[in-house]
Amino acid sequence: MHLVQIDGFPMSDTQRRLLLVAMPWLAMGGLLLLWELACIVFDVPEILAPRPTRIFEVMVQRWDILLRFCLETLWTTAIGFVLAIGFGVLLGLAIGASPFVYSGLYPLLIAFNAVPKVAIVPILMIWLGVGALPAIITAFVISFFPIVVNVATGLATIEPEMRDVMRSLGASQWEILTKVGVPRAMPYLFASLKVAVTLAFIGSVISETVGGNRGIGFLMLSAGARNDSATTFAGLFAIAIMGVGMYAACALVERRMTRWAFRGEIVG
């Protein structure tokens, strides 16, 4: 049996894999346990911070309502995220491939990204009315920027020596871009997707909270108006679960498509 050292403790490969899988659950369980004990010891009122057991009780009791509102948020977020991937990849390729496009558009992107997205939502409400479309657009505008930056960075960091070798072999600028630049940018792209997917949820929930009539943000706002903190926290938990699920999906696709980029794992 092959043993490896992890933080000074000998461990087999099987034990190591099981520990890596169990660590997130152990960390989450420890955090929830501390939360539960703190609420009991300090007698925290439920309106301020309900205990995790109470939150899970509400999630079980109102699972049908939570599911309906979560599905609204999930599909608006997914559409905005997919649009951000398409637009962000194309714009990132253009910026990374051309210094003229970079100098012309990058300052505008920085200025646009500096605008608080919550300030855009009322304008979208005026233009588009209340509904799913403002949430989709908000999810899109808040999540496409990291995709653009990372794709452009992946293209811009091609080594000059690699470009010289490709040119010496007769490759055109387009061939250098597609055969070297795009594969080089893939790890950057997936790194940005794992950030952008969480931002997409932020955008859609902001839109639902500010002026929506559906989605988990609207449910949390309605529950907060009734001082129903347990339902509000249940909404937060639901958003976290959806975010982790989409993050895990991006990580799985990353492993499939950029397996060559993983040199190994740090084991301690």
Side-chain angles (χ1 to χ4, degrees):
M1 181 183 296
H2 176 65
L3 298 179
V4 295
Q5 291 285 334
I6 300 181
D7 294 333
F9 297 96
M11 189 172 296
S12 67
D13 290 337
T14 302
Q15 292 173 327
R16 171 180 169 274
R17 286 193 294 268
L18 290 176
L19 182 60
L20 289 175
V21 172
M23 281 303 297
W25 299 98
L26 293 174
M28 180 177 63
L31 179 62
L32 293 176
L33 180 60
L34 288 176
W35 183 349
E36 183 83 16
L37 292 176
C39 289
I40 295 174
V41 171
F42 296 103
D43 194 21
V44 180
E46 182 176 313
I47 194 173
L48 295 181
R51 291 181 292 174
T53 51
R54 172 58 181 158
I55 297 172
F56 290 133
E57 179 184 349
V58 170
M59 294 181 73
V60 172
Q61 292 174 346
R62 304 176 183 174
W63 68 270
D64 53 340
I65 298 175
L66 284 170
L67 180 61
R68 185 171 71 250
F69 282 90
C70 283
L71 289 177
E72 290 282 352
T73 298
L74 184 61
W75 81 264
T76 55
T77 302
I79 293 175
F81 181 57
V82 170
L83 292 175
I85 294 174
F87 181 78
V89 168
L90 292 177
L91 189 57
L93 290 173
I95 291 176
S98 172
F100 299 104
V101 177
Y102 176 90
S103 61
L105 293 184
Y106 205 76
L108 296 178
L109 289 174
I110 295 294
F112 179 76
N113 191 61
V115 176
K117 302 306 178 288
V118 68
I120 300 177
V121 177
I123 299 175
L124 294 176
M125 298 295 175
I126 295 173
W127 289 350
L128 305 172
V130 176
L133 194 55
I136 292 173
I137 295 177
T138 308
F140 162 74
V141 299
I142 203 174
S143 60
F144 85 93
F145 183 76
I147 300 175
V148 174
V149 171
N150 279 269
V151 172
T153 301
L155 293 179
T157 53
I158 300 175
E159 296 86 351
E161 296 82 2
M162 179 65 71
R163 293 180 183 272
D164 293 338
V165 170
M166 293 294 291
R167 289 193 187 98
S168 67
L169 296 174
S172 63
Q173 183 64 28
W174 174 254
E175 289 174 327
I176 295 174
L177 176 66
T178 55
K179 297 183 182 299
V180 178
V182 171
R184 175 64 181 270
M186 291 295 286
Y188 292 87
L189 169 63
F190 282 103
S192 68
L193 293 185
K194 290 185 289 188
V195 175
V197 69
T198 57
L199 295 177
F201 272 106
I202 293 173
S204 58
V205 172
I206 285 176
S207 179
E208 293 165 355
T209 304
V210 172
N213 59 357
R214 60 183 68 186
I216 199 69
F218 176 72
L219 176 65
M220 292 170 59
L221 185 66
S222 302
R226 301 191 307 269
N227 291 328
D228 185 1
S229 61
T231 300
T232 303
F233 274 85
L236 288 177
F237 276 38
I239 295 171
I241 292 171
M242 290 189 294
V244 170
M246 290 192 68
Y247 179 98
C250 290
L252 179 61
V253 176
E254 178 187 23
R255 284 280 183 176
R256 298 281 185 178
M257 297 188 64
T258 61
R259 191 181 300 273
W260 52 269
F262 294 92
R263 308 298 187 204
E265 295 180 1
I266 299 175
V267 296

